[in-house]
């Protein structure tokens, strides 16, 4: 019984992580700059945030959820500004070979992805809606089942980041300084655009 909930969480966690967004761009760029381990730590930060929001939905933490959703304007504005800062920082970095490129340290890479993913409190509502559709949650399934579900979400999310970081990391040895420069420009512009869109959406809402 618990295994079936784990598998459902696994599928959902993978589907949440797989669409390419700002964290995906960061994972690819950091894998190219610092190797697959750097990209994997970025993905691990995102998977941890998914698990945190999954816990809130699965264990029925309505009070915490209400506070976060109520403050989503400020939280997402901070996330948008952080994305702009990361994007501009990468955009202005000089083209260099991947072996000489600078990637964030393990702690910084993990925390930046964790914080960026946590700046979208509406994710909690997505988890809650999907779990409710499955007939799950603390009231109906019990804490053990909820724990298995969240473990599946984390594992599914991590599976995607392992795949993405591994593929990106394998490409880094064949990348020249000129190509790395273009990767920095493109990824920096995309991240900055994501940040500006997030800020504009929050201010207009």
């Amino acid at each position: 019984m618990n295994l079936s909930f784990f598998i459902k969480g696994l599928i959902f966690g993978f589907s949440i992580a797989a669409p390419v967004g700002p964290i995906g761009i960061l994972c690819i760029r950091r894998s190219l700059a610092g190797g697959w381990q750097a990209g994997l730590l970025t993905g691990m930060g995102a998977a941890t945030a998914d698990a945190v929001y999954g816990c809130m939905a699965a264990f029925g933490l309505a009070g915490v959820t209400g506070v976060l959703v109520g403050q989503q304007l400020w939280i997402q504005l901070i996330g948008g500004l952080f994305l702009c800062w990361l994007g501009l920082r990468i955009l202005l970095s000089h083209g260099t070979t991947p072996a000489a490129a600078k990637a964030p340290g393990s702690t910084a890479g993990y925390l930046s992805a964790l914080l960026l993913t946590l700046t979208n409190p509406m994710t909690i509502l997505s988890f809650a809606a999907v779990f409710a559709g499955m007939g799950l949650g603390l009231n109906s399934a019990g804490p053990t089942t909820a724990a298995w579900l969240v473990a599946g979400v984390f594992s599914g999310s991590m599976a995607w980041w392992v795949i993405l970081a591994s593929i990106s990391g394998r490409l880094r040895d064949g990348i020249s300084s000129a190509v790395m420069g273009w990767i920095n420009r493109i990824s920096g512009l995309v991240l900055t655009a994501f940040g500006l869109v997030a800020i504009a959406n929050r201010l207009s809402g």
Side-chain angles (χ1 to χ4, degrees):
M1 188 70 170
N2 287 330
L3 181 59
S4 68
F5 289 129
F6 176 82
I7 293 173
K8 288 177 182 178
L10 190 76
I11 295 170
F12 183 54
F14 190 90
S15 65
I16 283 286
V20 177
I23 303 299
I25 300 297
L26 272 179
C27 178
I28 293 170
R29 194 267 173 185
R30 288 174 177 175
S31 297
L32 293 173
W36 70 270
Q37 298 95 332
L40 185 61
L41 283 166
T42 297
M44 189 179 293
T48 302
D50 287 340
V52 169
Y53 280 157
C55 278
M56 291 180 186
F59 287 93
L61 302 179
V64 178
T65 300
V67 171
L68 289 174
V69 172
Q71 298 299 319
Q72 64 174 308
L73 171 62
W74 297 107
I75 295 174
Q76 291 184 334
L77 276 176
I78 292 170
L81 290 170
F82 188 30
L83 266 179
C84 288
W85 177 78
L86 282 174
L88 290 172
R89 188 167 175 238
I90 293 172
L91 183 63
L92 297 175
S93 62
H94 298 292
T96 183
T97 59
K102 292 183 178 180
S106 57
T107 302
Y110 172 83
L111 288 178
S112 61
L114 173 66
L115 293 174
L116 274 177
T117 309
L118 287 175
T119 56
N120 187 12
M122 295 301 289
T123 304
I124 303 175
L125 301 183
S126 299
F127 276 103
V130 171
F131 292 173
M134 294 178 182
L136 303 176
L138 184 60
N139 295 330
S140 58
T144 302
T145 298
W148 275 94
L149 187 64
V150 173
V153 168
F154 178 80
S155 300
S157 182
M158 277 304 304
W160 166 252
W161 297 117
V162 168
I163 293 170
L164 187 62
S166 298
I167 293 174
S168 303
R170 284 181 176 273
L171 298 176
R172 71 188 300 259
D173 292 335
I175 293 178
S176 66
S177 175
V179 172
M180 194 66 206
W182 277 106
I183 290 172
N184 286 339
R185 294 184 189 99
I186 294 170
S187 58
L189 283 171
V190 171
L191 289 174
T192 303
F194 271 119
L196 291 174
V197 168
I199 292 170
N201 286 340
R202 288 300 91 202
L203 292 177
S204 61

